[in-house]
Amino acid sequence: MVARSCLNLLDLVSGDMLNFPQTPRSLPRVMTDPVIISHGDGKQSNDDDSGVNSSEHRRKIIIVSNSLPLNAKRDKVSGRWCFSYDEDSIFWQLKDGLSPDADVVYVGSLKVDVDASEQDKVSLQLLEEFNCLPTFIPPELYKQFHDGFCKQHLWPLFHYMLPMYPGNRRFDRSQWQAYVSANKIFADKVMEVLNPEDDYVWVHDYHLMVLPTFLRKRCSRVKLGFFLHSPFPSSEIYKTLPVRGEILKALLNADLVGFHTFDYARHFLSCCRRMLGLEHESKRGYIGLEYSGRTIFIKILPAGIHMGRLQSALEHPSSSEKVREIHQQFKGKKLILGVDDMDIFKGVSLKFLAIEQLLQQYPEMQGEITLIQILNPPSSADKDVENAKEEAYITARKINQRFGSESYEPITIIDRHVPFYEKAAYYALAECCIVNAVRDGLNLVPYKYTVCRQGNSKVDEALEIASDSPRASALVVSEFIGCSPSLSGAIRVNPWDIDAVAEALNLAITMPDGEKQLRHEKHYRYVSSHDVAYWARSFEQDLVFSCKDHYRNCCWGIGFGLNFRILSLSPSFRRLSIDHIVPAYKRSSCRAIFLDYDGTVVPQASIVKAPSPEVISVLNNLCSDVNNTVFIVSGRGKTSLSEWFDQCENLGIAAEHGYFIRWGKQTSWQMSHADTDFAWKRIAEPVMRSYMEATDGSSVEIKDSALVWHYRDADPDFGSWQAMELLDHLENVLANEPVAVKKGQHIIEVKPQGITKGLVAQEVLSTLTKKGKLPDFVLCIGDDRSDEDMFESILTRCYSATSSSAPEIFACTVGQKPSKAKYYLDDTMDVMSLLEGLGAASVPKLRYSTETPFEKREVCFENIL
């Protein structure tokens, strides 16, 4: 059943449907570069209203995020809007790593409401002065988009909170429609400044996950990257989202998809495999997903901090004063620092309970340690956040009452806006920093702490220590935050295990100074070299690499709504049409036709594997022509193929990839390797059976010449893992045997060396040539990896012939995918329609009716030809 969310996007985002006010008009086109429109034939054309050549403009990198990296306030005297860059925004900081040859343009929303009458003026001001283009989403739409779908559905789900929890709202389709509408507005704004021939677009975070579809629909060759700053959940969690397929397909309209950690990327790839049937592979360090002829690359690299911003904070005069003040206030105590946004996933209460356990288990630390907990203001004030904050205060109060005194509080909560220079002072003084979140996308607090502990001359002077004294730090971090894998010297903890967190804090505090210094040096080397500029530069380089083939292939847009995608194919790879092949078929007098069986003649997923009466009829029609030599070339056994094609008198069959061959029903089976030793089966079969028993849904097929392990019905992930293990296992135990171990479509097969479908094609063509029947027409159709051998064989053999005797070759794969074949057909229905047409063309002026499942119309091939 088609999901309701797959409605046509134009309907989905219409103002009438959602009853939202229309967005303000776009900026005048005089402000923008000419838009390059991509056509299916690979050509580009400039807009009619612009005579400017794109080469006269600098390349742009367009950064698209929910919020612009700007601070905004209205002057109380003049009433004018005043804007400044938000230097704490990662989107402002990342520009330091981008190419100096490109202009950086920002597209996003302002954090303030601007009256509709002022929006055009503000837009022009921001574009001219700040290279920013505001989206101005109507307030009611923004509320449903951001506060609704983003914060009530995506954000909790991506942090592993299912809607079954109290207070967590169920899926609301109107909020989903608002999300799509808002993404459409962002796309409109991007298109105002986009020159697709030169520019790159970098989209950020879960607010804009369907934006790639809108942009790809507008311009098939847009150079588009996406980076997710939150976790990506496991497939078991993600697949509970009712619009899971639409979001996945939208992300696959990007050229490069980035994640902070391998875990997040692994979950995304698992979702693509389980829900879309897409496999990925790694080549030379790049992970790629093949999707409709395009390769979507996966980038794994955590974002970094802005070193200059931290160093300037430490250089701030107020920072040194704050260092002295804090040092004096907590003199004689070891400071443990926590800096967290106030939300339900930061584990603040769990952290306090760990402090309680630490003080209880190690009484000597009472009065010696203090936890300074800085609570950043929450981004949204909902009930869950208020409850979490109240719980944290109650827990802290209880612990302070139990272990504190008039002059000592184990936990100090700072619940206000803390200037950056003041945070830097706390970072510089803390003996230990703890980040105890139960789930977080990245969390840069450990990076900031490490840099501030490195200090500078002013901090050293305030603390009265030598500038050449060794630096040390201690980190306790949750296993469930994105920065954890990059901090190999940190003490990693499960935040839910209170005892383990308490032990980790004790270890961090009592750790010898030499070990603290070694851990600090290791972290500082990484953090200082992998800063935000490095992250941005690396992403840009990979985005350029991902888009290098954009103009090499032809592109077609297919699909409706959020199912839209681009089909990218080589110019030489085209659909095999009946109009193209029939004239060549009619001109020829000696034809060789090779057909795979599963996935070519019958659907791969069909439960009934025997050919239908229609298939038998089509094959008999082809075989009845004395000029045709038709072969079914299959990996199946000879017994089943003989039974299925018993009614086909003149059909040649090559079973088990050519180990058995017969030229017709009246001829006997011939073995291509009669002297083969099958002692290797006694080694391979027990191994395969052990994997079959360990992998639910798998099976072992025993053929005369081969053994096959099938895992199509197994769990997609587990089946793939077991297949790779079995492949490696068999290659090791059979290393000295004369066999080939091959991986096919959901199979692992062991067969004697030298048995391939390619050799079948060679033998048939050679036999025909020896009999004086030099083929002048060769058709080969298949869908599997094993069929690639046939394609290569006929192309190599036939192209090596002299030009006067070279036949017309039609190597055709089933499905639009990379192949050695030069033609494709979409599915088995297309294959049978084509064969039916060829069969009819064998008898001139024969009128026939195609009242079959393949084609419901009457055709006169006399007219076609």
Side-chain angles (χ1 to χ4, degrees):
M1 183 176 67
V2 179
R4 286 171 54 204
S5 53
C6 294
L7 299 171
N8 188 292
L9 287 183
L10 296 178
D11 297 331
L12 191 57
V13 300
S14 65
D16 293 339
M17 179 178 178
L18 298 174
N19 295 318
F20 291 126
Q22 296 297 304
T23 56
R25 66 180 177 84
S26 61
L27 292 178
R29 283 303 304 270
V30 71
M31 297 293 299
T32 68
D33 291 337
V35 175
I36 307 299
I37 302 174
S38 292
H39 299 282
D41 60 359
K43 298 178 182 179
Q44 297 81 38
S45 61
N46 290 350
D47 281 358
D48 293 337
D49 62 344
S50 175
V52 185
N53 191 301
S54 64
S55 63
E56 298 176 5
H57 297 266
R58 280 169 57 88
R59 176 170 67 92
K60 295 190 294 296
I61 300 176
I62 303 171
I63 307 297
V64 192
S65 59
N66 178 50
S67 298
L68 289 171
L70 294 175
N71 295 315
K73 64 179 180 180
R74 190 187 287 275
D75 186 272
K76 294 181 180 179
V77 178
S78 65
R80 292 186 58 191
W81 284 104
C82 300
F83 300 98
S84 62
Y85 281 117
D86 179 3
E87 296 185 357
D88 290 330
S89 170
I90 191 173
F91 307 121
W92 180 83
Q93 295 172 355
L94 65 79
K95 69 180 179 61
D96 290 352
L98 299 178
S99 171
D101 298 329
D103 293 327
V104 179
V105 177
Y106 296 96
V107 175
S109 300
L110 288 169
K111 300 169 188 175
V112 295
D113 290 331
V114 177
D115 188 81
S117 61
E118 301 176 286
Q119 289 176 1
D120 285 347
K121 182 179 179 181
V122 168
S123 293
L124 291 172
Q125 178 187 353
L126 292 181
L127 190 59
E128 290 175 353
E129 298 179 12
F130 297 93
N131 268 9
C132 291
L133 191 60
T135 53
F136 295 128
I137 300 174
E140 185 59 31
L141 174 61
Y142 188 84
K143 182 178 180 182
Q144 290 215 49
F145 151 64
H146 182 267
D147 300 343
F149 191 76
C150 290
K151 291 300 182 182
Q152 293 181 14
H153 295 293
L154 288 181
W155 189 76
L157 189 76
F158 280 25
H159 288 76
Y160 287 75
M161 178 179 280
L162 293 173
M164 65 179 66
Y165 291 102
N168 195 357
R169 293 186 58 180
R170 303 296 172 117
F171 180 77
D172 186 334
R173 190 159 297 276
S174 65
Q175 291 181 351
W176 160 246
Q177 292 168 349
Y179 181 83
V180 175
S181 297
N183 276 246
K184 167 74 163 50
I185 294 173
F186 275 89
D188 293 340
K189 287 297 177 183
V190 171
M191 292 306 298
E192 290 181 19
V193 292
L194 176 66
N195 177 353
E197 191 175 51
D198 300 321
D199 299 345
Y200 290 82
V201 182
W202 187 359
V203 180
H204 291 267
D205 223 5
Y206 61 90
H207 310 86
L208 304 172
M209 294 177 83
V210 299
L211 178 58
T213 291
F214 284 107
L215 294 177
R216 188 68 65 189
K217 193 170 186 179
R218 302 280 189 87
C219 176
S220 63
R221 290 184 175 85
V222 61
K223 300 166 186 173
L224 178 59
F226 178 90
F227 196 94
L228 183 67
H229 292 265
S230 76
F232 195 94
S234 69
S235 60
E236 291 301 309
I237 298 293
Y238 179 78
K239 70 182 182 183
T240 64
L241 186 64
V243 290
R244 61 193 187 184
E246 290 88 327
I247 290 178
L248 274 186
K249 292 174 183 176
L251 290 179
L252 293 176
N253 274 317
D255 296 295
L256 178 67
V257 181
F259 301 92
H260 286 307
T261 73
F262 172 70
D263 274 349
Y264 304 161
R266 177 169 58 87
H267 293 156
F268 173 75
L269 294 171
S270 177
C271 288
C272 290
R273 181 189 300 114
R274 289 175 173 272
M275 296 169 204
L276 302 179
L278 301 179
E279 295 290 339
H280 67 274
E281 60 180 357
S282 181
K283 288 184 179 179
R284 297 182 179 178
Y286 289 95
I287 300 175
L289 271 170
E290 291 294 330
Y291 183 57
S292 296
R294 295 173 52 245
T295 300
I296 295 90
F297 289 93
I298 306 299
K299 174 75 173 176
I300 303 170
L301 183 67
I305 58 173
H306 195 284
M307 293 292 292
R309 176 79 171 129
L310 276 170
Q311 288 162 356
S312 64
L314 290 172
E315 293 285 343
H316 197 285
S318 300
S319 183
S320 301
E321 289 298 320
K322 201 65 186 178
V323 167
R324 294 190 185 94
E325 179 186 325
I326 298 169
H327 185 61
Q328 185 63 34
Q329 180 182 354
F330 296 98
K331 192 171 185 178
K333 295 182 176 61
K334 293 183 177 180
L335 297 186
I336 302 172
L337 180 65
V339 180
D340 298 281
D341 297 335
M342 189 62 250
D343 68 49
I344 58 178
F345 296 111
K346 292 303 186 286
V348 175
S349 294
L350 294 174
K351 188 188 305 181
F352 292 172
L353 292 175
I355 292 292
E356 180 183 34
Q357 179 66 17
L358 177 68
L359 296 175
Q360 180 178 316
Q361 192 167 345
Y362 300 96
E364 66 274 13
M365 290 193 178
Q366 297 177 20
E368 297 294 323
I369 64 165
T370 295
L371 171 66
I372 307 295
Q373 178 62 55
I374 297 176
L375 294 178
N376 298 323
S379 57
S380 60
D382 57 38
K383 188 177 180 181
D384 289 337
V385 173
E386 291 298 323
N387 291 340
K389 187 174 182 178
E390 183 181 356
E391 180 187 1
Y393 268 94
I394 292 172
T395 305
R397 194 179 306 117
K398 181 188 71 171
I399 295 170
N400 286 339
Q401 289 173 353
R402 180 180 177 186
F403 297 103
S405 63
E406 291 184 3
S407 59
Y408 169 66
E409 279 191 342
I411 299 175
T412 299
I413 297 178
I414 302 176
D415 186 9
R416 58 175 170 81
H417 171 70
V418 179
F420 195 64
Y421 71 84
E422 185 177 345
K423 284 182 184 175
Y426 279 107
Y427 284 135
L429 286 168
E431 290 276 333
C432 169
C433 180
I434 176 171
V435 179
N436 204 50
V438 297
R439 189 71 62 180
D440 207 354
L442 180 61
N443 202 309
L444 294 172
V445 166
Y447 294 174
K448 296 174 182 177
Y449 167 71
T450 299
V451 173
C452 290
R453 284 293 287 178
Q454 186 71 11
N456 64 7
S457 58
K458 291 191 176 181
V459 173
D460 294 344
E461 184 181 342
L463 294 175
E464 299 178 354
I465 60 174
S467 59
D468 59 350
S469 60
R471 311 294 166 165
S473 62
L475 276 169
V476 177
V477 299
S478 165
E479 299 170 350
F480 306 117
I481 63 175
C483 67
S484 174
S486 62
L487 298 170
S488 56
I491 304 170
R492 298 190 181 99
V493 295
N494 174 1
W496 301 101
D497 188 345
I498 305 300
D499 293 340
V501 177
E503 284 296 333
L505 286 170
N506 177 59
L507 176 61
I509 294 167
T510 60
M511 188 183 295
D513 290 342
E515 185 174 350
K516 286 183 180 179
Q517 291 164 14
L518 289 173
R519 290 175 184 250
H520 172 80
E521 289 171 4
K522 188 175 187 179
H523 290 160
Y524 185 75
R525 280 197 304 271
Y526 175 83
V527 173
S528 59
S529 61
H530 292 72
D531 60 356
V532 67
Y534 175 88
W535 170 71
R537 183 165 55 252
S538 179
F539 191 91
E540 181 190 3
Q541 290 170 352
D542 281 4
L543 180 57
V544 171
F545 174 83
S546 303
C547 301
K548 61 183 174 61
D549 292 334
H550 268 204
Y551 290 93
R552 187 175 299 174
N553 293 340
C554 294
C555 298
W556 292 269
I558 57 177
F560 296 99
L562 290 176
N563 287 316
F564 176 84
R565 64 192 185 278
I566 289 294
L567 175 62
S568 177
L569 299 173
S570 168
S572 61
F573 188 60
R574 53 178 175 158
R575 195 175 187 280
L576 183 55
S577 67
I578 190 73
D579 294 336
H580 179 66
I581 194 173
V582 164
Y585 184 88
K586 295 244 343 168
R587 286 193 300 268
S588 58
S589 59
C590 183
R591 312 180 190 104
I593 300 174
F594 302 97
L595 304 172
D596 176 40
Y597 185 70
D598 292 281
T600 301
V601 175
V602 297
Q604 191 72 254
S606 176
I607 296 176
V608 180
K609 296 299 182 182
S612 65
E614 291 83 5
V615 171
I616 297 294
S617 173
V618 169
L619 292 176
N620 276 332
N621 204 11
L622 280 174
C623 294
S624 64
D625 190 324
V626 294
N627 294 324
N628 291 347
T629 300
V630 184
F631 262 82
I632 291 288
V633 187
S634 173
R636 289 189 173 272
K638 64 176 182 177
T639 303
S640 56
L641 290 173
S642 296
E643 293 174 358
W644 290 345
F645 295 105
D646 183 62
Q647 301 175 48
C648 299
E649 294 284 339
N650 300 316
L651 178 67
I653 299 176
E656 299 188 18
H657 294 131
Y659 183 76
F660 295 105
I661 298 178
R662 79 175 190 190
W663 285 73
K665 183 179 177 181
Q666 304 305 321
T667 62
S668 59
W669 287 99
Q670 301 171 6
M671 286 191 296
S672 58
H673 291 65
D675 57 347
T676 302
D677 181 7
F678 290 103
W680 56 266
K681 282 189 174 183
R682 293 194 295 271
I683 303 172
E685 186 177 347
V687 175
M688 283 190 169
R689 291 200 178 277
S690 68
Y691 278 81
M692 179 188 73
E693 292 170 3
T695 312
D696 191 30
S698 67
S699 61
V700 174
E701 180 185 1
I702 300 175
K703 301 179 181 179
D704 289 340
S705 67
L707 294 175
V708 186
W709 184 73
H710 297 266
Y711 63 96
R712 178 177 297 278
D713 296 327
D715 177 89
D717 285 328
F718 187 52
S720 296
W721 295 338
Q722 289 289 75
M724 295 307 296
E725 286 294 322
L726 177 58
L727 184 68
D728 182 65
H729 194 159
L730 290 171
E731 285 177 341
N732 285 328
V733 299
L734 299 173
N736 297 321
E737 301 293 333
V739 295
V741 184
K742 299 288 186 179
K743 186 177 187 297
Q745 282 191 349
H746 300 101
I747 65 166
I748 299 293
E749 183 173 26
V750 184
K751 60 184 179 181
Q753 291 176 349
I755 297 178
T756 68
K757 290 185 178 182
L759 292 178
V760 175
Q762 284 186 19
E763 182 176 341
V764 171
L765 294 175
S766 297
T767 302
L768 290 173
T769 302
K770 289 176 184 177
K771 292 181 178 181
K773 298 179 179 180
L774 188 63
D776 53 2
F777 175 97
V778 179
L779 170 64
C780 181
I781 308 178
D783 77 309
D784 200 353
R785 291 183 184 179
S786 61
D787 300 311
E788 297 294 320
D789 293 332
M790 276 202 296
F791 301 151
E792 184 177 25
S793 176
I794 65 170
L795 291 170
T796 303
R797 175 182 173 82
C798 297
Y799 280 141
S800 63
T802 62
S803 58
S804 59
S805 61
E808 297 196 69
I809 306 167
F810 298 90
C812 178
T813 187
V814 181
Q816 299 158 353
K817 58 183 181 290
S819 173
K820 295 172 184 175
K822 293 189 176 182
Y823 299 92
Y824 73 90
L825 291 169
D826 289 324
D827 50 32
T828 56
M829 303 282 277
D830 272 0
V831 173
M832 296 313 299
S833 292
L834 182 82
L835 296 179
E836 199 168 15
L838 294 181
S842 296
V843 185
K845 300 184 180 180
L846 173 64
R847 188 176 183 86
Y848 77 105
S849 175
T850 61
E851 289 298 325
T852 71
F854 310 122
E855 194 170 326
K856 295 289 186 181
R857 67 178 184 269
E858 193 174 78
V859 181
C860 181
F861 269 87
E862 182 181 7
N863 295 334
I864 292 179
L865 302 176

